[in-house]
Coordinates of all heavy atoms in Angstrom, one line a residue:
T1096 N -61.2 -21.0 3.7 CA -60.1 -21.9 4.0 C -59.2 -21.2 5.0 O -58.9 -20.0 4.8 CB -59.3 -22.3 2.8 OG1 -60.2 -22.9 1.8 CG2 -58.2 -23.2 3.1
I1097 N -58.8 -21.9 6.0 CA -57.9 -21.3 7.1 C -56.6 -22.0 7.0 O -56.5 -23.2 7.3 CB -58.5 -21.5 8.5 CG1 -59.9 -20.9 8.6 CG2 -57.6 -21.0 9.5 CD1 -60.7 -21.2 9.8
P1098 N -55.5 -21.3 6.5 CA -54.2 -22.0 6.3 C -53.6 -22.2 7.7 O -53.7 -21.3 8.6 CB -53.4 -21.0 5.5 CG -54.2 -19.7 5.5 CD -55.6 -20.0 6.0
K1099 N -52.9 -23.3 7.8 CA -52.2 -23.7 9.0 C -50.7 -24.0 8.6 O -50.4 -23.7 7.5 CB -52.8 -24.9 9.7 CG -54.2 -24.7 10.1 CD -54.4 -23.8 11.3 CE -55.8 -23.7 11.7 NZ -56.0 -22.9 12.9
D1100 N -49.9 -24.5 9.5 CA -48.5 -24.8 9.2 C -48.3 -25.7 8.0 O -47.7 -25.3 7.0 CB -47.8 -25.4 10.4 CG -47.6 -24.3 11.5 OD1 -47.6 -23.1 11.2 OD2 -47.4 -24.7 12.6
F1101 N -48.9 -26.9 8.0 CA -48.7 -27.8 6.9 C -50.0 -28.3 6.3 O -50.0 -29.3 5.6 CB -47.8 -29.0 7.4 CG -48.4 -29.7 8.5 CD1 -49.2 -30.8 8.4 CD2 -48.1 -29.3 9.8 CE1 -49.7 -31.5 9.5 CE2 -48.6 -30.0 10.9 CZ -49.4 -31.1 10.7
Y1102 N -51.1 -27.7 6.7 CA -52.4 -28.1 6.2 C -53.3 -26.9 6.2 O -53.1 -25.9 6.7 CB -53.1 -29.2 7.0 CG -53.4 -28.8 8.5 CD1 -54.7 -28.4 8.8 CD2 -52.4 -28.9 9.5 CE1 -55.0 -28.0 10.1 CE2 -52.8 -28.5 10.8 CZ -54.0 -28.0 11.1 OH -54.3 -27.7 12.3
S1103 N -54.5 -27.1 5.5 CA -55.5 -26.0 5.5 C -56.8 -26.6 6.0 O -57.0 -27.8 5.9 CB -55.7 -25.4 4.1 OG -56.1 -26.4 3.2
E1104 N -57.6 -25.8 6.7 CA -58.8 -26.2 7.3 C -60.0 -25.5 6.6 O -59.9 -24.3 6.4 CB -58.7 -25.8 8.8 CG -59.8 -26.1 9.7 CD -59.6 -25.5 11.1 OE1 -58.8 -26.2 11.8 OE2 -60.1 -24.4 11.4
L1105 N -61.0 -26.3 6.3 CA -62.2 -25.7 5.6 C -63.4 -25.9 6.6 O -63.9 -27.1 6.7 CB -62.4 -26.4 4.3 CG -63.6 -26.0 3.5 CD1 -63.5 -24.5 3.2 CD2 -63.8 -26.8 2.3
P1106 N -63.8 -24.9 7.3 CA -65.0 -25.0 8.2 C -66.3 -24.8 7.3 O -66.3 -24.0 6.5 CB -64.8 -23.9 9.2 CG -63.9 -22.9 8.5 CD -63.1 -23.6 7.5
I1107 N -67.3 -25.7 7.6 CA -68.5 -25.6 6.9 C -69.6 -25.6 8.0 O -69.7 -26.5 8.8 CB -68.7 -26.9 6.0 CG1 -67.6 -27.0 5.0 CG2 -70.1 -26.8 5.3 CD1 -67.4 -28.3 4.4
N1108 N -70.5 -24.6 8.0 CA -71.6 -24.5 8.9 C -72.8 -25.3 8.3 O -73.1 -25.2 7.1 CB -72.1 -23.0 9.0 CG -71.1 -22.2 9.7 OD1 -70.5 -22.6 10.7 ND2 -70.8 -21.0 9.2
I1109 N -73.4 -26.2 9.2 CA -74.4 -27.0 8.7 C -75.6 -26.9 9.7 O -75.5 -26.6 10.8 CB -74.0 -28.5 8.6 CG1 -73.6 -29.1 10.0 CG2 -72.9 -28.7 7.6 CD1 -73.4 -30.6 10.0
E1110 N -76.8 -27.2 9.1 CA -78.0 -27.4 9.9 C -78.7 -28.7 9.4 O -78.8 -28.9 8.2 CB -79.0 -26.3 9.6 CG -78.8 -25.0 10.3 CD -79.9 -24.0 10.2 OE1 -80.9 -24.3 9.4 OE2 -79.9 -23.0 10.8
V1111 N -79.0 -29.6 10.3 CA -79.6 -30.9 10.0 C -80.8 -31.1 10.8 O -80.8 -30.9 12.0 CB -78.6 -32.0 10.3 CG1 -79.2 -33.4 9.9 CG2 -77.2 -31.8 9.6
L1112 N -81.9 -31.5 10.2 CA -83.2 -31.7 10.8 C -83.5 -33.2 10.8 O -83.4 -33.8 9.7 CB -84.3 -30.9 10.1 CG -85.7 -31.0 10.7 CD1 -85.7 -30.4 12.1 CD2 -86.7 -30.3 9.8
G1113 N -83.8 -33.7 12.0 CA -84.2 -35.1 12.0 C -84.4 -35.6 13.4 O -84.3 -34.8 14.4
K1114 N -84.8 -36.9 13.6 CA -84.9 -37.4 14.9 C -83.5 -37.8 15.4 O -82.5 -37.8 14.7 CB -85.8 -38.7 14.8 CG -87.2 -38.3 14.3 CD -88.1 -39.5 14.5 CE -89.5 -39.3 13.9 NZ -90.2 -38.2 14.5
Y1115 N -83.4 -38.0 16.7 CA -82.2 -38.2 17.4 C -81.3 -39.3 16.7 O -80.1 -39.1 16.4 CB -82.4 -38.6 18.9 CG -81.2 -38.7 19.7 CD1 -80.5 -37.6 20.2 CD2 -80.6 -40.0 19.9 CE1 -79.3 -37.7 20.9 CE2 -79.4 -40.1 20.7 CZ -78.8 -38.9 21.2 OH -77.7 -39.1 21.9
Q1116 N -82.0 -40.4 16.4 CA -81.3 -41.5 15.8 C -80.7 -41.1 14.4 O -79.6 -41.5 14.0 CB -82.2 -42.8 15.6 CG -82.5 -43.4 17.0 CD -83.7 -42.7 17.6 OE1 -84.3 -41.7 17.1 NE2 -84.1 -43.1 18.8
E1117 N -81.5 -40.3 13.6 CA -81.1 -39.9 12.3 C -79.9 -38.9 12.4 O -79.0 -39.0 11.6 CB -82.2 -39.2 11.6 CG -83.4 -40.2 11.3 CD -84.7 -39.5 10.8 OE1 -84.9 -38.3 11.3 OE2 -85.4 -40.1 10.1
L1118 N -79.9 -38.1 13.4 CA -78.7 -37.2 13.6 C -77.5 -38.0 13.9 O -76.4 -37.7 13.4 CB -79.0 -36.2 14.7 CG -80.2 -35.2 14.5 CD1 -80.3 -34.3 15.7 CD2 -80.0 -34.4 13.2
G1119 N -77.7 -39.1 14.7 CA -76.6 -39.9 15.0 C -76.0 -40.6 13.8 O -74.8 -40.8 13.6
L1120 N -76.9 -41.1 12.9 CA -76.5 -41.7 11.7 C -75.7 -40.8 10.8 O -74.8 -41.1 10.1 CB -77.7 -42.3 10.9 CG -78.3 -43.6 11.5 CD1 -79.6 -43.9 10.8 CD2 -77.3 -44.7 11.4
F1121 N -76.2 -39.5 10.8 CA -75.5 -38.5 10.0 C -74.1 -38.3 10.5 O -73.1 -38.3 9.7 CB -76.3 -37.2 10.0 CG -75.6 -36.0 9.3 CD1 -75.7 -36.0 7.9 CD2 -74.9 -35.1 10.0 CE1 -75.1 -34.9 7.2 CE2 -74.3 -34.0 9.3 CZ -74.4 -34.0 7.9
V1122 N -73.9 -38.1 11.8 CA -72.6 -37.9 12.3 C -71.7 -39.1 12.1 O -70.5 -39.0 11.8 CB -72.7 -37.5 13.8 CG1 -71.3 -37.5 14.5 CG2 -73.4 -36.2 14.0
S1123 N -72.3 -40.3 12.2 CA -71.6 -41.5 12.0 C -71.1 -41.6 10.5 O -70.0 -42.0 10.2 CB -72.4 -42.7 12.3 OG -71.8 -43.9 12.0
G1124 N -71.9 -41.1 9.6 CA -71.6 -41.1 8.2 C -70.4 -40.1 7.9 O -69.5 -40.4 7.1
L1125 N -70.4 -39.0 8.7 CA -69.2 -38.1 8.5 C -68.0 -38.8 8.9 O -66.9 -38.6 8.3 CB -69.5 -36.9 9.4 CG -70.5 -35.9 9.0 CD1 -70.6 -34.7 10.0 CD2 -70.2 -35.3 7.6
A1126 N -68.0 -39.6 10.0 CA -66.8 -40.2 10.5 C -66.3 -41.3 9.6 O -65.1 -41.6 9.6 CB -67.2 -40.9 11.9
S1127 N -67.2 -41.8 8.7 CA -66.7 -42.9 7.8 C -66.3 -42.3 6.4 O -65.9 -43.1 5.5 CB -67.9 -43.9 7.6 OG -69.0 -43.3 6.9
L1128 N -66.3 -41.0 6.3 CA -65.8 -40.4 5.0 C -64.3 -40.7 4.8 O -63.6 -40.9 5.8 CB -66.0 -38.9 5.0 CG -67.5 -38.5 4.9 CD1 -67.6 -37.0 5.0 CD2 -68.1 -38.9 3.5
P1129 N -63.8 -40.8 3.6 CA -62.4 -41.1 3.3 C -61.4 -40.0 3.8 O -60.2 -40.3 3.8 CB -62.3 -41.3 1.8 CG -63.5 -40.6 1.3 CD -64.5 -40.6 2.3
R1130 N -61.8 -38.8 4.0 CA -60.9 -37.8 4.5 C -61.2 -37.4 5.9 O -62.3 -37.8 6.5 CB -61.0 -36.6 3.6 CG -62.3 -35.8 3.7 CD -62.3 -34.6 2.8 NE -61.0 -34.1 2.4 CZ -60.8 -33.6 1.2 NH1 -61.7 -33.5 0.3 NH2 -59.6 -33.2 0.9
I1131 N -60.3 -36.7 6.6 CA -60.5 -36.4 8.0 C -61.6 -35.3 8.1 O -61.5 -34.3 7.4 CB -59.2 -35.9 8.6 CG1 -58.2 -37.0 8.7 CG2 -59.5 -35.3 10.0 CD1 -56.8 -36.5 9.1
V1132 N -62.6 -35.6 8.8 CA -63.7 -34.6 9.0 C -64.0 -34.6 10.5 O -64.2 -35.6 11.2 CB -65.0 -35.0 8.3 CG1 -66.2 -34.1 8.5 CG2 -64.8 -35.1 6.8
T1133 N -64.0 -33.4 11.1 CA -64.4 -33.3 12.5 C -65.6 -32.4 12.7 O -65.9 -31.6 11.8 CB -63.2 -32.7 13.3 OG1 -62.8 -31.4 12.8 CG2 -62.0 -33.6 13.3
I1134 N -66.3 -32.6 13.8 CA -67.5 -31.8 14.0 C -67.3 -31.0 15.3 O -66.8 -31.5 16.3 CB -68.8 -32.7 14.1 CG1 -70.0 -31.9 14.1 CG2 -68.7 -33.7 15.2 CD1 -71.3 -32.7 13.8
H1135 N -67.7 -29.7 15.3 CA -67.5 -28.7 16.4 C -68.7 -27.9 16.6 O -69.6 -27.8 15.8 CB -66.3 -27.8 16.0 CG -65.1 -28.4 15.6 ND1 -64.1 -28.7 16.5 CD2 -64.6 -29.0 14.4 CE1 -63.1 -29.3 15.9 NE2 -63.4 -29.5 14.6
D1136 N -68.8 -27.3 17.8 CA -69.8 -26.4 18.2 C -71.2 -27.0 17.9 O -72.1 -26.3 17.3 CB -69.6 -25.1 17.5 CG -68.3 -24.4 17.7 OD1 -67.7 -24.6 18.8 OD2 -67.8 -23.8 16.8
V1137 N -71.5 -28.2 18.4 CA -72.7 -28.8 18.2 C -73.8 -28.3 19.1 O -73.6 -28.1 20.3 CB -72.6 -30.4 18.4 CG1 -73.9 -31.1 18.2 CG2 -71.6 -30.9 17.4
N1138 N -75.0 -28.0 18.5 CA -76.1 -27.5 19.3 C -77.3 -28.2 18.8 O -77.7 -28.1 17.6 CB -76.2 -26.0 19.1 CG -77.4 -25.4 20.0 OD1 -77.8 -26.1 20.9 ND2 -77.8 -24.2 19.7
I1139 N -78.0 -29.0 19.6 CA -79.2 -29.7 19.2 C -80.4 -29.2 20.0 O -80.3 -29.1 21.2 CB -79.0 -31.2 19.5 CG1 -77.9 -31.7 18.6 CG2 -80.3 -32.0 19.1 CD1 -77.5 -33.2 18.9
T1140 N -81.5 -28.8 19.3 CA -82.7 -28.2 20.0 C -83.9 -29.0 19.4 O -84.0 -29.3 18.2 CB -82.8 -26.7 19.7 OG1 -82.8 -26.5 18.3 CG2 -81.7 -25.9 20.4
P1141 N -84.9 -29.2 20.3 CA -86.1 -29.8 19.8 C -86.9 -28.9 18.9 O -86.9 -27.7 19.2 CB -86.9 -30.2 21.1 CG -86.3 -29.3 22.2 CD -84.9 -29.0 21.7
V1142 N -87.5 -29.4 17.9 CA -88.3 -28.5 17.0 C -89.8 -28.6 17.3 O -90.5 -27.6 17.4 CB -88.1 -28.9 15.5 CG1 -88.9 -28.2 14.6 CG2 -86.6 -28.8 15.2
N1143 N -90.3 -29.8 17.5 CA -91.7 -30.0 17.9 C -91.9 -31.3 18.6 O -91.0 -31.9 19.0 CB -92.6 -29.9 16.6 CG -92.2 -30.9 15.5 OD1 -91.8 -32.0 15.9 ND2 -92.3 -30.5 14.3
N1144 N -93.1 -31.6 18.9 CA -93.4 -32.8 19.8 C -93.3 -34.1 19.1 O -93.5 -35.1 19.7 CB -94.8 -32.6 20.4 CG -94.9 -31.5 21.4 OD1 -93.8 -31.1 22.0 ND2 -96.0 -30.9 21.6
D1145 N -93.0 -34.2 17.8 CA -92.9 -35.5 17.1 C -91.5 -36.1 17.2 O -91.2 -37.1 16.6 CB -93.3 -35.3 15.7 CG -92.3 -34.6 14.8 OD1 -91.4 -34.0 15.3 OD2 -92.5 -34.6 13.6
G1146 N -90.6 -35.4 18.0 CA -89.3 -36.0 18.2 C -88.2 -35.4 17.2 O -87.1 -35.7 17.3
S1147 N -88.7 -34.5 16.4 CA -87.7 -33.8 15.5 C -86.8 -32.9 16.2 O -87.2 -32.2 17.1 CB -88.4 -33.1 14.4 OG -89.1 -34.0 13.5
M1148 N -85.5 -32.9 15.8 CA -84.5 -32.0 16.4 C -83.8 -31.3 15.3 O -83.6 -31.8 14.2 CB -83.6 -32.8 17.2 CG -84.2 -33.5 18.4 SD -83.0 -34.4 19.3 CE -83.9 -34.7 20.8
L1149 N -83.3 -30.1 15.6 CA -82.4 -29.3 14.7 C -81.0 -29.3 15.3 O -80.8 -28.9 16.4 CB -83.0 -27.9 14.6 CG -82.2 -27.0 13.6 CD1 -82.2 -27.5 12.2 CD2 -82.7 -25.6 13.7
M1150 N -80.1 -29.8 14.5 CA -78.7 -29.7 14.9 C -77.9 -28.7 14.1 O -77.9 -28.7 12.8 CB -78.0 -31.1 14.7 CG -76.5 -31.1 15.0 SD -75.7 -32.7 14.9 CE -75.7 -33.0 13.2
N1151 N -77.3 -27.7 14.8 CA -76.4 -26.8 14.1 C -75.0 -27.2 14.6 O -74.8 -27.5 15.7 CB -76.7 -25.3 14.6 CG -78.1 -24.8 14.1 OD1 -78.2 -24.6 12.9 ND2 -79.0 -24.7 15.0
A1152 N -74.1 -27.1 13.6 CA -72.7 -27.5 13.9 C -71.8 -26.9 12.9 O -72.2 -26.4 11.8 CB -72.6 -29.0 14.0
V1153 N -70.5 -27.0 13.2 CA -69.5 -26.6 12.2 C -68.7 -27.9 11.9 O -68.2 -28.6 12.8 CB -68.5 -25.6 12.8 CG1 -67.4 -25.3 11.8 CG2 -69.3 -24.3 13.1
V1154 N -68.7 -28.3 10.6 CA -67.9 -29.5 10.2 C -66.6 -28.9 9.6 O -66.7 -28.0 8.8 CB -68.7 -30.3 9.2 CG1 -67.9 -31.4 8.6 CG2 -70.0 -30.8 9.8
K1155 N -65.5 -29.5 10.0 CA -64.2 -29.1 9.4 C -63.6 -30.2 8.7 O -63.6 -31.4 9.2 CB -63.3 -28.6 10.5 CG -63.8 -27.3 11.2 CD -62.8 -26.9 12.3 CE -63.3 -25.6 13.0 NZ -62.4 -25.2 14.0
T1156 N -63.1 -29.9 7.5 CA -62.3 -30.9 6.7 C -60.9 -30.3 6.5 O -60.8 -29.1 6.5 CB -63.0 -31.3 5.4 OG1 -62.3 -32.3 4.8 CG2 -63.2 -30.1 4.5
Y1157 N -60.0 -31.2 6.3 CA -58.6 -30.7 6.2 C -57.9 -31.2 4.9 O -58.2 -32.3 4.4 CB -57.8 -31.3 7.4 CG -58.5 -30.9 8.7 CD1 -59.5 -31.7 9.3 CD2 -58.1 -29.8 9.4 CE1 -60.1 -31.4 10.5 CE2 -58.7 -29.4 10.6 CZ -59.7 -30.2 11.1 OH -60.3 -29.9 12.3
N1158 N -57.1 -30.3 4.4 CA -56.3 -30.6 3.2 C -54.8 -30.4 3.4 O -54.5 -29.5 4.2 CB -56.7 -29.8 2.0 CG -58.1 -30.1 1.6 OD1 -58.5 -31.2 1.4 ND2 -58.9 -29.0 1.3
E1159 N -54.0 -31.2 2.8 CA -52.5 -30.9 2.9 C -52.2 -29.6 2.2 O -52.6 -29.4 1.0 CB -51.8 -32.1 2.3 CG -50.3 -31.9 2.4 CD -49.5 -33.1 1.8 OE1 -50.2 -34.1 1.4 OE2 -48.3 -33.1 1.8
S1160 N -51.5 -28.7 2.8 CA -51.1 -27.4 2.2 C -50.0 -27.7 1.2 O -49.1 -28.5 1.4 CB -50.7 -26.4 3.2 OG -51.8 -26.0 4.0
T1161 N -50.1 -26.9 0.2 CA -48.9 -26.8 -0.8 C -48.5 -25.4 -0.9 O -49.3 -24.5 -1.0 CB -49.3 -27.3 -2.2 OG1 -50.4 -26.6 -2.6 CG2 -49.7 -28.8 -2.1
D1162 N -47.2 -25.2 -0.8 CA -46.6 -23.8 -0.9 C -46.7 -23.4 -2.4 O -46.0 -24.0 -3.2 CB -45.2 -23.8 -0.4 CG -44.6 -22.5 -0.4 OD1 -45.3 -21.5 -0.8 OD2 -43.4 -22.4 -0.1
V1163 N -47.6 -22.5 -2.7 CA -47.8 -22.1 -4.0 C -46.5 -21.6 -4.7 O -46.3 -21.8 -5.9 CB -48.9 -20.9 -4.1 CG1 -49.1 -20.5 -5.5 CG2 -50.2 -21.4 -3.5
S1164 N -45.6 -21.0 -4.0 CA -44.4 -20.4 -4.6 C -43.5 -21.6 -5.0 O -42.6 -21.3 -5.9 CB -43.7 -19.5 -3.6 OG -43.3 -20.2 -2.5
S1165 N -43.6 -22.7 -4.4 CA -42.7 -23.8 -4.8 C -43.3 -24.8 -5.8 O -42.6 -25.7 -6.2 CB -42.2 -24.5 -3.5 OG -43.3 -25.2 -2.9
V1166 N -44.5 -24.7 -6.1 CA -45.2 -25.6 -7.0 C -44.6 -25.5 -8.4 O -44.4 -24.4 -8.9 CB -46.7 -25.4 -7.1 CG1 -47.3 -26.2 -8.2 CG2 -47.3 -25.7 -5.8
G1167 N -44.1 -26.6 -9.0 CA -43.5 -26.5 -10.3 C -42.1 -26.1 -10.3 O -41.5 -26.0 -11.4
K1168 N -41.5 -25.9 -9.2 CA -40.1 -25.5 -9.1 C -39.2 -26.6 -8.5 O -38.2 -26.3 -7.9 CB -39.9 -24.2 -8.3 CG -40.5 -23.0 -8.9 CD -40.2 -21.8 -8.1 CE -40.9 -20.6 -8.7 NZ -40.6 -19.4 -7.9
E1169 N -39.6 -27.9 -8.8 CA -38.8 -29.0 -8.2 C -37.5 -29.0 -9.0 O -37.4 -28.9 -10.2 CB -39.5 -30.3 -8.4 CG -40.8 -30.4 -7.6 CD -41.5 -31.7 -7.8 OE1 -40.8 -32.7 -8.3 OE2 -42.6 -31.8 -7.5
T1170 N -36.4 -29.2 -8.2 CA -35.1 -29.3 -8.8 C -34.7 -30.7 -8.8 O -34.7 -31.4 -7.8 CB -34.1 -28.4 -8.1 OG1 -34.0 -28.9 -6.7 CG2 -34.4 -27.0 -8.1
K1171 N -34.3 -31.2 -10.0 CA -33.9 -32.6 -10.1 C -32.4 -32.6 -10.3 O -31.9 -31.8 -11.1 CB -34.6 -33.3 -11.3 CG -36.1 -33.4 -11.1 CD -36.7 -34.1 -12.3 CE -38.2 -34.2 -12.1 NZ -38.9 -34.9 -13.2
K1172 N -31.7 -33.5 -9.6 CA -30.3 -33.6 -9.7 C -30.0 -34.5 -10.9 O -30.6 -35.6 -11.0 CB -29.7 -34.1 -8.4 CG -29.8 -33.2 -7.3 CD -29.1 -33.7 -6.1 CE -29.3 -32.7 -4.9 NZ -28.7 -33.2 -3.7
K1173 N -29.1 -34.1 -11.7 CA -28.6 -34.9 -12.8 C -27.7 -36.0 -12.3 O -27.0 -35.8 -11.2 CB -27.9 -34.1 -13.9 CG -28.9 -33.2 -14.6 CD -28.1 -32.4 -15.7 CE -29.1 -31.5 -16.4 NZ -28.4 -30.7 -17.4
R1174 N -27.6 -37.1 -13.0 CA -26.8 -38.2 -12.5 C -25.3 -37.8 -12.4 O -24.8 -37.1 -13.3 CB -26.9 -39.3 -13.6 CG -26.2 -40.6 -13.1 CD -26.5 -41.7 -14.0 NE -27.8 -42.3 -13.7 CZ -28.4 -43.2 -14.4 NH1 -27.9 -43.6 -15.6 NH2 -29.6 -43.7 -14.0
G1175 N -24.7 -38.0 -11.3 CA -23.4 -37.7 -11.1 C -23.2 -36.3 -10.3 O -22.1 -36.0 -9.9
Q1176 N -24.3 -35.5 -10.2 CA -24.2 -34.3 -9.4 C -24.6 -34.5 -8.0 O -25.5 -35.3 -7.7 CB -25.1 -33.2 -10.1 CG -24.6 -32.7 -11.4 CD -25.5 -31.6 -11.9 OE1 -26.6 -31.4 -11.5 NE2 -24.9 -30.8 -12.8
K1177 N -24.1 -33.7 -7.1 CA -24.4 -33.7 -5.7 C -25.1 -32.5 -5.3 O -25.0 -31.4 -5.8 CB -23.2 -34.0 -4.8 CG -22.7 -35.3 -5.0 CD -21.6 -35.6 -4.0 CE -21.0 -37.0 -4.2 NZ -20.1 -37.3 -3.2

């Protein structure tokens, strides 16, 4: 995990083997996930003459950061206090 100002970034190295259309469907599936997922450093190389390709990439997902020191230390104002 790579902490940033207000979020953290989780990079994941992947290798995917398939035909061009299958690689496209895989990337499209990543885009339809319920959280933000981005794909970086894509490298696609042919594997053999049947149309198979190997895709190497880094997929990054993001989470909202929480300041560990402030977790559980919420201060609630009592009625009538400012």
Side-chain angles (χ1 to χ4, degrees):
T1096 304
I1097 302 170
K1099 302 288 184 176
D1100 289 337
F1101 59 92
Y1102 65 94
S1103 60
E1104 178 182 282
L1105 179 63
I1107 304 164
N1108 293 315
I1109 62 167
E1110 280 189 354
V1111 182
L1112 180 65
K1114 297 189 185 297
Y1115 184 80
Q1116 293 82 3
E1117 295 168 330
L1118 298 180
L1120 287 172
F1121 176 79
V1122 171
S1123 177
L1125 290 176
S1127 67
L1128 290 173
R1130 67 179 343 144
I1131 297 173
V1132 178
T1133 58
I1134 189 163
H1135 304 266
D1136 305 326
V1137 178
N1138 184 19
I1139 300 174
T1140 55
V1142 175
N1143 53 36
N1144 291 335
D1145 72 350
S1147 294
M1148 299 179 161
L1149 180 65
M1150 178 176 70
N1151 291 293
V1153 177
V1154 175
K1155 294 181 182 180
T1156 184
Y1157 305 88
N1158 293 316
E1159 184 178 354
S1160 289
T1161 56
D1162 183 3
V1163 178
S1164 64
S1165 67
V1166 172
K1168 293 185 179 180
E1169 293 181 18
T1170 57
K1171 295 183 180 178
K1172 294 182 181 178
K1173 293 183 180 178
R1174 189 174 276 171
Q1176 288 184 340
K1177 291 186 179 185

